[in-house]
Structures are given as C-alpha cells and as structure tokens.
Amino acid sequence: MDHLDQLEAQSIYIFREAFGRLKKIALLWSLGKDSNVMIWLARKAFFGRLPFPALHVDTGKKFPEMYRFRDHYGKEWDLDLRVEPCPPIDAVDPTLPPAARSAARKTEGLKMALAKYGFDGLIAGIRRDEEATRAKERVFSPRGLEGNWDVRDQPPEFWDHFNASPPQGAHLRIHPILHWTESDIWAYTKRENIPIIPLYLSQNGKRYRSLGDQDITNPVASNASTIDEILIELEQTKVPERSGRALDHETEDAFERLRVAGYL
Amino acid sequence: MNMIVTPNGTTRPQVRIVIVGHVDHGKSTLVGRLLHETGSLPDGKLDMLKAVSARRGMPFEWSFLLDALQTERDQGITIDTTQIRFRTNSRDIVLIDAPGHAEFLRNMITGASQADGAVLIIDALEGVRDQTRRHGYLLHLLGVKQVAVVVNKMDRVDFSAARFKEISDEISAHLQGLGVKPTAVIPISAREGDGVAERTDRIGWYKGPTVVEALDRLEPARPLEALALRLPVQAIYKFDDRRIVAGRIESGSLVAGDEIVIMPAGKIARIKTVESWPVTPVAGRQGAGRSVGITLDRELFLERGDIIAHANSAPRETRRLRARIFWLHDKPLAKGDQLLVRCGPKESRATVVAIEKAVDPGELSSVENKAIGRNHVGEIDISLSNPIATDPYTENPRTGRLVIEVSGRIAGGGLVLSVDAGQRALPVDIVPVESALRPDERSARYRHNGAVVWLTGLPASGKSTLAKALERRLFSNGGSPILLDGDTLRAGLNSDLGFSAADRSENIRRLAEVATHLARNGHIAIVAAVSPAREDRATARRIADTSFREIYVATPAEICEERDPKGHYKKARAGTLASFTGIGTDYERPEAAELVIDTSTRTVAEAADEIEQMLKTTGVLFDELVDLAANI
C-alpha cells in the first residue's frame, strides 16, 4: 500500500462516516483540482455514485473553461448538481479589503444555500498545506448557527472518531482531503486519470496553481505543461500555492477573518 | 511502511511527529527553526514574519510562523494544533505542533493521536514541569513509543552540561517509569540554532544526535497487517443489486473466499467478492489500512459496528470492560455516570461501574478514586448496554481503544485494558440455515409480505385486545399472523429476565429477534408489548429493519387505569408492584409511529380497519391476488 493508497483509504473512511452519521449532506464543488479529486474519492467510497448533491456556489465570475467543465462532467458523472447564486457585492461586509470582500460573497451564497436546503453537513475540499488557518482545522468541523468557526473551542478529535452531532440549525464542515498536499492531488489526478481544467497547465509561460474567481486569481510563472512537469515544479518551488490569490495578501488577517465568518 | 514516491522515482518514508511540552518552553520556536534549517520555508515567509514582528514592536519571533491566528500572535500562545511538512535527509516529516496550555489539552491529544513519534521539549531554566509530565503520560497512553527529548533554551543556562544532565536524568526516569524509553535527549537553543541542525561549539560537550538527526532516525508506524483480521462494519450499501459491506481494515488482511465470522453475533459466512470502483471486483489480498467493500456468500443481517474477523481469531464479545482513559470534559467522570462509548464504528450506552484509579499525571503524588477530573487520567470499569466485540489494546492497538462521548461531543478516550467476556466466551460456529422457501412463494400464498406489527402503549391501553382482533382478521383473509404478547414470552423464553432497565431492553431485543425471524419467513408477527423506552423500540426497528410497523395505542392514562384488567394499577398505587409503567412517567411515547390509535374513541373493529388500511398503504398487504405462475 503506497502513500496515495493510504490517503485514498483515509478519505473514503471520512466520506463514509459523513454519509452514515449525518442526515443531509452535500459536497461543495468549486470545479478546481481538489474538489474534482474529492468527487472521484466519493465515487470510490460509494461504488461509482455520489449519493448526495454536488453544490456549486457560483459567484458568476468563474473562468469560461470552468463552466464548460462543470456542464460537461456534471452530466458525465451523473451528479445531482445544484448551482446556487451568490448575493451582489454590496450585501457583503464593507470593512473587508476589496478581494476579501469579493470572496466573501461566496460565504454569503453558502449561507443562503444552507438555509434553502437545510444541510447538516457540507463536504469541502480544503487541505492543511494550503494555508495556515486551514492547517488548524478538524476533519469534522462544527460551525455555529451563523456558519462561523470557533477556533478557540474545537472539539477533540482523535483516532478517527469524529464529532457528528451539530446543534439544531447548525452544520458541520467535513474535510475529507485535509491530509493531502498539492503534490498528492496532482500525483493522484495523474494516477487515476481524473480530468482537469486546462488552465492549470502552462500557456505562454504562465499557469494557474489555484483557481478562484477571475477578478481575484492570477496565474503564476511556470513552464509546466503536463502533470509530470507540475509535480517536478512543486518539488522545487518555494512559491506558495495561493500566491496568485489576491485576498491572501491584503492584510495579515484577511483570510482568518473570512474563515472565522464561515469561508472555506 | 508509509513511503512517499517522488516525481524522480525515489522513495522516502513518511513519519508523523508531534511536538509537545509545557507552555513557553519553545515548541513553536523549534518548529520555525527546523523549517528554516531544512530549507522548507516558502519564499517571502521570512520577510512576512519579520514584518509581523516589527509591527508588534517585538524582536523576530519564529513562532509566528505556526501561530497563524491573530489571537495566538497577540497572546504569544498556540491555541490549536497545526501541521506542516519538511524533509530531512531520509525522511518526509509531517510535523504536528500541539499547544502546551493545560486548557488546550484536547487539542494536544488531537494532534498527538496521529503521530508515529514525538519530541518532548523542556526549558533548561525551568526544568521538568507539570505539563511536561502530563504530556509524557499522554504520549504513553496514546501509544506513541518513540520520544526524543530536547532541552531547550540552553543559552539561558550558559550551555551548562551539569544542568542538562540534571534534567535529562529526571525526565528519563519519568518516561521509563511509564514504559517509554527516550530515543535521545538533546541540548539545544532553538532561538540561536544550537543543536537543531548543527552541533555548535557551545554544546561541544554533547556527543549525541542533533534534532534533525534524531528525527531522521524515527521509524514510521508499525505495519498492522501481521495482526489478526479486524474489519469493523462502517455501513451496508445497496445502491444496485449488490449488497456491499463497507469498512476499513484496521488490522490483518482478507481475500475473496475467506471464511469469516461476524461479531458479536458469531455468524459465519464467506467473502464472495471485494468490490471497488471503477474496476470491480478486485483480485488479490487487501491489507490493513484499506477502505474496502465486500459481498458475502449469504444474506445475513449485519449492522454498523459489527466486526468481521477470521473464524479462528475473532475478537471477544463483552458487556463489561476495564479501560485506562484520559478525561477532557469540564465535569469530572464519576461512578454511576451514563456515557456513550464508541469502539470503532460501534457505539453503546454505558455506565461507569467503578473508578479504580484517578490521577493528575502532572502531579505525581495525588491519587484518588472518586472521580476523574478534567485533564486527568484514570482506570475505570464500565458496563455496556449492547455487547461489543473488542480486543485488549496489548493485542490490537486499533480495536483496543475507545472514545467516550457526552452530549454528542467527544469527552475522553483510552485503551481497553481487559474485557470480561460475556455470556458467550468465544465465537461458536453459527451457520444460519436459510429457509427452503423463497419469500415470494410465501407472499403469493398469504397475500402479504412478512412484517413486524409492533403495538406499544400504556398497560391496559388495549394492545392485546387489538392484537387479537387483528390476528383474527388477517387469518380470516388467508394470511399468516402470529401473536407475540410480551407477557406470554416472559412466561417462557424470557423467564430469566426481571424488570430493571437492562432486563427490559433485553426483553424487547428478544421479542424483536423472534418477531423478525417470523417476518423474514413471511408471517405477520403482531407484538403487543408496553415497551416503554424509545431506544428499545428503536433497537427493535433496527433489527426488523424495513418490515417494522409501529402502532402507538394512545389511550389516555386515566382510562387505562380505570380499565385495569390485570389489577396492576391497583397494586402499583398500593405500592406492592415495583417498576410498573403507567403510574410513573417512564413511558416514552413514539414520535413517528406508522399509526396512532386511541381505543377510548374507537371500537375494536374500527381500529382493526385502520391497521389493515395502514398495512395496505405501506405495502404489507396486497390488494390484488398475486399471480403465482408469474413468480415461477
């Protein structure tokens, strides 16, 4: 059993716990490399099916390639796809810096979708190695009634025993790939032959390492035009994955504020 | 061994280590220094940290690297565990930083429970503190055996070899007392860099490994494949015509064709296939760590929490066990407390029968045995309301551990020290014999499917009267109803049971098992039993599964007492009948029964009509005659 097998087995275990212990769950599909791997893992866990909805909280500002990908694979993978809109920018906390404010639309859209469907669990594709506050996450992470994350009072979680009883009206975030790294995602994508959005591959010396909205994501300099080349690049690079994400660089705590308020 | 394959084809073992120790002894600083010395910091991070430190008017602070949260930086403490990766010469290291503050012990445990090894840090000036000892003890309890000790802030004791030896002796003695042998004790200054990646002149007297070298020598987690097979059932899926038993192999291995035993019931079957996706079935042996799905060669009733093992090496079934636990909840754990115990996916209500030992692992002296306080450890004796299959942790570290839940939140956990093997000591070879008839052959004759019709309600609410009327009605229509009255069974099968809560649960369980057996064989089992506990009825529903129909006979209490055909109410009022449901308030009314009937406002015939109607709409009774020929 190699490293990828272990990661896969652990994620499947988490998926099955979430499906078995919560009443109404959905998987957040952002169309990026991580959530595509996540859908793949879920289909492994449930023998080819995704037995719950895939939720795309859509800012309307994704790249055209991403929408094409969604429409194609939503059908091919037979997903119960729910596309939910986000409120306009003026509905969002005006004290946040511009890019963070733009991203916070997603938090609001997420809250609306939660209220609409009454999910008690949301499966999200965040990873510990992406960002320092995500590194502190639990696998089953309880959220308050407002969707907020109370980092000072996270329940103990050990030996793969998860706290799966959210208070009435609140929900849990479930993180089945928290333990994966960016390199793991690519190595697994290659091994399993999971389709990807071509924006991740280099064109004219640039590629996207992380795909967000058009207005707040930038490509990084790279000549990696295949997954193999991406893997070699990641082995050598010291550029952080989210360097192309504008919101991470606005203020010291912009991202933490977003996450405490319910952002992924 | 957990191997990482790199893009150029080489492999490196991956080890997970946790850094623990008393608050302010320098954990986060050491982590920052380690990342820097191994060249693992991303571009711009160092500058960012300098800026963050400057903004707060502080000298450069390594710990800001991991203490990512504002609160942590502002207060200079680590609140929650975090993970970060770096490489030594021969290892890929996942480093888990755990907070030292006593109030965040749950976070330390969350971090340390995932580790293959640990670094225990001690401030050279302050020496061994409560939290140092507490963390040492918890590492031992969590099963972390490889512990490297670092004595930090040697610069503050002028790199004194004597001071180092003093601390080294004290902590080594403490750890060895717990059965943990430190792999190294290393003098360092995390802030200055001595002893972390380099052996500097200032610690020239020290001949052992640096921190990086010590980490390089840690071994990845021990393979579990060599142990006996344990596959706890996580779920049973029926997405298509396959009935797949899903779970993660905790230890041992399995392959299609293996004969297995399902514990605690002790049923025997063979593994027909190992299912997967996108390619299925999969050939070859599946080992510990794999999340698998298997199908069996016969239809057996399984449920979440059952453990699949090989027939000759099954775990023990028990309702009673001893455990060594750590306690994280605000309210101390005391004798008589009701808990929820989880052992893998299996959960059971439990009662603390005795607290045999309770100790604050930080202070070596205090030992008591009344209650286990928050952040303390102890040994307890617990009794379980459902039998579970488990192993002592010395035989199987994966299945020999449990967690304790209070109000839906994990409150403690620990190791199974011993199990008091219950009524059945070892699995017997049970091979259920399936009926010669197919279910559709029976339903074609009786014009109904098998079902368990469960009548619950207060004594004298009219359950037995209704049950008999229904039995007569169904029989007249050519069906095969069978009456199972609670009292009738208590006269024979259940004559060994009294009226304690546990005995009542067992009474209901047996009723449900018998009724379900009849239902599986095409009959309509009509159960009339007070069955006051909601949870017991939930158990019955779980056992009977989709064939269960609950009817709440909701006759008002005063009318029941007025009727009192057996004279029970009278005796209970007189105080000569203990544990009688009706006078007290212990009847828990159903919340989602298939049907509610108040016999004070309906005739028996009307009530029987309603039941019949419900059985039709829920697919038990057929309206039309089934064409027998079509099924042949």
Side-chain angles (χ1 to χ4, degrees):
Chain A
M1 201 168 164
D2 71 17
H3 173 60
L4 293 178
D5 293 334
Q6 288 200 350
L7 293 172
E8 175 189 282
Q10 178 70 7
S11 298
I12 290 175
Y13 185 83
I14 296 166
F15 265 115
R16 289 175 178 169
E17 283 300 289
F19 183 55
R21 291 190 60 197
L22 293 166
K23 289 188 196 77
K24 200 170 179 195
I25 58 174
L27 176 145
L28 291 168
W29 190 24
S30 71
L31 317 172
K33 60 188 190 297
D34 302 318
S35 55
N36 295 339
V37 161
M38 210 162 58
I39 289 181
W40 196 264
L41 290 164
R43 292 168 84 200
K44 285 229 179 187
F46 306 114
F47 305 94
R49 271 164 198 75
L50 194 71
F52 38 79
L55 190 65
H56 180 216
V57 179
D58 190 2
T59 53
K61 293 189 167 184
K62 302 284 171 195
F63 296 90
E65 290 90 338
M66 296 171 80
Y67 288 117
R68 276 203 291 279
F69 188 90
R70 179 186 77 188
D71 297 341
H72 181 84
Y73 286 102
K75 274 203 202 82
E76 184 171 323
W77 293 343
D78 194 21
L79 304 180
D80 173 5
L81 178 63
R82 317 268 174 97
V83 176
E84 297 297 324
C86 297
I89 189 85
D90 17 315
V92 177
D93 180 1
T95 69
L96 285 167
R101 193 173 173 210
S102 187
R105 288 180 61 220
K106 260 195 335 201
T107 315
E108 296 306 316
L110 201 57
K111 282 184 195 167
M112 284 160 54
L114 273 166
K116 177 173 167 187
Y117 295 110
F119 294 121
D120 61 351
L122 281 179
I123 299 172
I126 65 165
R127 308 189 323 266
R128 285 200 179 98
D129 75 327
E130 274 179 290
E131 200 281 325
T133 67
R134 287 179 175 164
K136 291 177 187 281
E137 271 288 6
R138 298 288 195 258
V139 175
F140 275 48
S141 179
R143 298 295 148 138
L145 292 174
E146 294 293 305
N148 52 307
W149 178 41
D150 185 0
V151 71
R152 288 156 175 266
D153 188 31
Q154 300 201 79
E157 182 173 83
F158 47 87
W159 297 333
D160 291 335
H161 282 278
F162 309 119
N163 296 277
S165 318
Q168 191 68 39
H171 73 280
L172 289 166
R173 296 279 169 85
I174 299 117
H175 302 130
I177 57 165
L178 200 57
H179 53 301
W180 293 55
T181 65
E182 189 182 4
S183 299
D184 296 333
I185 291 287
W186 283 118
Y188 189 73
T189 299
K190 181 180 174 236
R191 184 180 95 170
E192 302 285 315
N193 209 8
I194 303 170
I196 59 165
I197 291 175
L199 294 171
Y200 286 115
L201 304 176
S202 174
Q203 275 196 334
N204 308 321
K206 280 177 182 283
R207 72 177 192 91
Y208 287 88
R209 267 180 78 182
S210 170
L211 284 175
D213 284 357
Q214 280 190 59
D215 56 339
I216 53 171
T217 323
N218 300 304
V220 295
S222 165
N223 288 318
S225 58
T226 64
I227 294 182
D228 282 323
E229 286 167 10
I230 289 178
L231 284 167
I232 289 166
E233 177 185 289
L234 292 178
E235 185 86 343
Q236 290 154 356
T237 187
K238 286 194 168 193
V239 176
E241 181 178 2
R242 293 182 61 89
S243 63
R245 295 273 197 153
L247 73 93
D248 292 33
H249 315 292
E250 284 176 331
T251 61
E252 188 188 321
D253 66 340
F255 201 75
E256 181 185 345
R257 281 178 65 191
L258 276 177
R259 295 216 69 230
V260 167
Y263 190 74
L264 295 178
Chain B
M1 193 180 283
N2 195 5
M3 303 299 289
I4 302 268
V5 182
T6 63
N8 57 22
T10 59
T11 57
R12 257 196 312 264
Q14 186 187 59
V15 285
R16 306 165 67 85
I17 56 162
V18 63
I19 300 207
V20 298
H22 193 79
V23 61
D24 282 338
H25 282 195
K27 290 183 296 294
S28 302
T29 309
L30 174 60
V31 174
R33 172 63 71 174
L34 273 170
L35 291 175
H36 178 60
E37 303 262 352
T38 52
S40 314
L41 286 183
D43 285 351
K45 200 76 186 182
L46 210 57
D47 292 337
M48 191 274 259
L49 292 179
K50 281 179 187 159
V52 170
S53 307
R55 202 176 307 137
R56 286 180 168 72
M58 298 168 71
F60 180 77
E61 186 48 73
W62 276 116
S63 64
F64 284 170
L65 184 64
L66 290 185
D67 295 345
L69 304 164
Q70 289 283 307
T71 338
E72 292 180 314
R73 288 175 184 164
D74 291 343
Q75 296 181 18
I77 53 166
T78 304
I79 292 178
D80 211 334
T81 179
T82 194
Q83 297 194 4
I84 202 149
R85 290 160 194 252
F86 68 96
R87 289 170 193 162
T88 62
N89 283 338
S90 64
R91 299 275 185 275
D92 246 51
I93 302 222
V94 178
L95 196 126
I96 304 162
D97 181 43
H101 273 264
E103 61 264 44
F104 297 125
L105 205 66
R106 61 171 187 265
N107 297 337
M108 176 268 171
I109 285 170
T110 298
S113 70
Q114 309 163 44
D116 305 316
V119 171
L120 179 63
I121 194 163
I122 304 171
D123 183 322
L125 201 62
E126 290 198 2
V128 176
R129 296 285 303 273
D130 284 2
Q131 202 67 344
T132 317
R133 281 190 289 266
R134 204 169 276 145
H135 283 181
Y137 195 98
L138 288 168
L139 290 174
H140 146 74
L141 230 164
L142 289 164
V144 180
K145 296 235 158 45
Q146 308 178 76
V147 181
V149 178
V150 300
V151 180
N152 188 26
K153 306 192 189 180
M154 286 300 292
D155 49 316
R156 296 179 54 190
V157 295
D158 297 326
F159 295 92
S160 156
R163 177 63 181 152
F164 172 73
K165 184 171 184 310
E166 207 181 332
I167 295 173
S168 170
D169 287 351
E170 185 183 351
I171 192 65
S172 299
H174 176 68
L175 290 177
Q176 275 169 20
L178 300 172
V180 177
K181 190 177 182 302
T183 55
V185 185
I186 311 162
I188 67 162
S189 165
R191 193 174 295 280
E192 310 289 322
D194 308 75
V196 178
E198 282 173 72
R199 226 175 269 97
T200 58
D201 288 346
R202 296 190 282 192
I203 47 167
W205 44 266
Y206 170 72
K207 301 297 172 214
T210 62
V211 178
V212 173
E213 286 165 353
L215 296 182
D216 213 26
R217 293 176 194 176
L218 290 174
E219 290 299 317
R222 209 161 48 96
L224 294 159
E225 289 204 17
L227 298 173
L229 170 68
R230 296 289 181 264
L231 170 61
V233 175
Q234 211 180 346
I236 292 117
Y237 298 131
K238 189 137 187 6
F239 295 122
D240 44 39
D241 52 350
R242 295 170 294 176
R243 185 163 169 271
I244 301 176
V245 181
R248 181 174 58 192
I249 303 173
E250 295 295 336
S251 60
S253 64
L254 58 81
V255 68
D258 279 1
E259 182 171 71
I260 50 138
V261 59
I262 298 148
M263 294 297 289
K267 299 170 192 166
I268 303 276
R270 253 177 217 290
I271 298 174
K272 194 162 82 184
T273 55
V274 179
E275 299 289 336
S276 188
W277 181 85
V279 180
T280 201
V282 288
R285 190 160 279 283
Q286 306 291 311
R290 292 252 181 213
S291 286
V292 296
I294 60 171
T295 62
L296 303 179
D297 68 341
R298 63 192 69 150
E299 290 256 325
L300 292 176
F301 176 73
L302 275 86
E303 59 184 338
R304 179 177 159 91
D306 285 350
I307 291 192
I308 291 176
H310 286 129
N312 55 359
S313 57
R316 267 159 276 189
E317 174 207 0
T318 185
R319 279 173 181 272
R320 190 78 176 253
L321 50 84
R322 273 183 66 237
R324 180 179 297 136
I325 63 151
F326 48 85
W327 190 244
L328 302 168
H329 203 263
D330 296 340
K331 187 175 165 282
L333 179 71
K335 183 180 165 180
D337 281 356
Q338 304 276 327
L339 315 159
L340 190 77
V341 166
R342 292 184 187 284
C343 208
K346 178 81 179 182
E347 62 177 54
S348 170
R349 281 179 301 137
T351 308
V352 179
V353 177
I355 306 273
E356 295 182 351
K357 199 157 85 178
V359 55
D360 177 352
E363 304 161 30
L364 297 168
S365 52
S366 69
V367 178
E368 56 166 324
N369 55 7
K370 284 197 195 75
I372 303 176
R374 180 164 178 244
N375 293 344
H376 292 193
V377 299
E379 288 179 17
I380 60 173
D381 186 349
I382 43 185
S383 97
L384 303 155
S385 55
N386 298 314
I388 64 166
T390 183
D391 301 286
Y393 85 101
T394 46
E395 288 172 30
N396 191 315
R398 305 288 294 191
T399 48
R401 60 201 192 188
L402 52 84
V403 303
I404 299 169
E405 213 179 273
V406 173
S407 319
R409 186 163 161 147
I410 292 171
L415 309 173
V416 177
L417 295 176
S418 62
V419 300
D420 178 2
Q423 296 121 341
R424 185 161 61 220
L426 283 169
V428 270
D429 276 7
I430 301 177
V431 184
V433 175
E434 303 295 326
S435 168
L437 306 178
R438 290 196 319 270
D440 55 272
E441 292 179 79
R442 293 183 193 271
S443 55
R445 170 170 300 178
Y446 300 138
R447 291 164 57 204
H448 60 65
N449 287 314
V452 174
V453 177
W454 195 280
L455 295 130
T456 170
L458 289 170
S461 57
K463 296 181 300 297
S464 299
T465 312
L466 258 186
K468 286 200 280 188
L470 180 65
E471 187 185 25
R472 171 63 62 193
R473 173 83 61 94
L474 294 171
F475 183 72
S476 309
N477 294 343
S480 175
I482 297 175
L483 176 67
L484 287 174
D485 186 85
D487 278 4
T488 311
L489 260 71
R490 274 193 176 274
L493 176 66
N494 292 347
S495 62
D496 58 327
L497 299 176
F499 288 88
S500 68
D503 278 2
R504 285 184 158 195
S505 296
E506 177 62 10
N507 179 45
I508 298 303
R509 188 191 70 80
R510 290 186 199 171
L511 260 172
E513 286 283 357
V514 174
T516 303
H517 178 74
L518 293 172
R520 286 217 185 100
N521 285 292
H523 310 285
I524 294 180
I526 306 168
V527 179
V530 178
S531 44
R534 200 172 284 149
E535 180 141 353
D536 291 343
R537 294 193 303 266
T539 301
R541 190 183 282 273
R542 219 160 32 237
I543 292 170
D545 205 9
T546 53
S547 64
F548 196 78
R549 302 288 181 278
E550 187 174 40
I551 297 171
Y552 174 32
V553 184
T555 311
E558 55 280 7
I559 295 181
C560 297
E561 186 162 2
E562 215 174 277
R563 290 178 182 164
D564 202 16
K566 297 176 185 169
H568 285 156
Y569 283 91
K570 216 168 150 195
K571 280 189 205 156
R573 288 278 178 216
T576 54
L577 182 61
S579 300
F580 174 73
T581 302
I583 300 294
T585 51
D586 57 343
Y587 183 79
E588 298 166 358
R589 45 176 310 190
E591 279 166 347
E594 273 78 7
L595 189 64
V596 180
I597 290 176
D598 177 350
T599 62
S600 67
T601 59
R602 290 216 197 5
T603 66
V604 173
E606 282 166 357
D609 283 347
E610 276 192 67
I611 299 175
E612 207 178 349
Q613 194 54 39
M614 182 272 286
L615 293 178
K616 272 181 190 157
T617 53
T618 61
V620 176
L621 298 182
F622 300 148
D623 270 326
E624 281 90 17
L625 273 174
V626 174
D627 182 0
L628 194 59
N631 290 316
I632 297 170

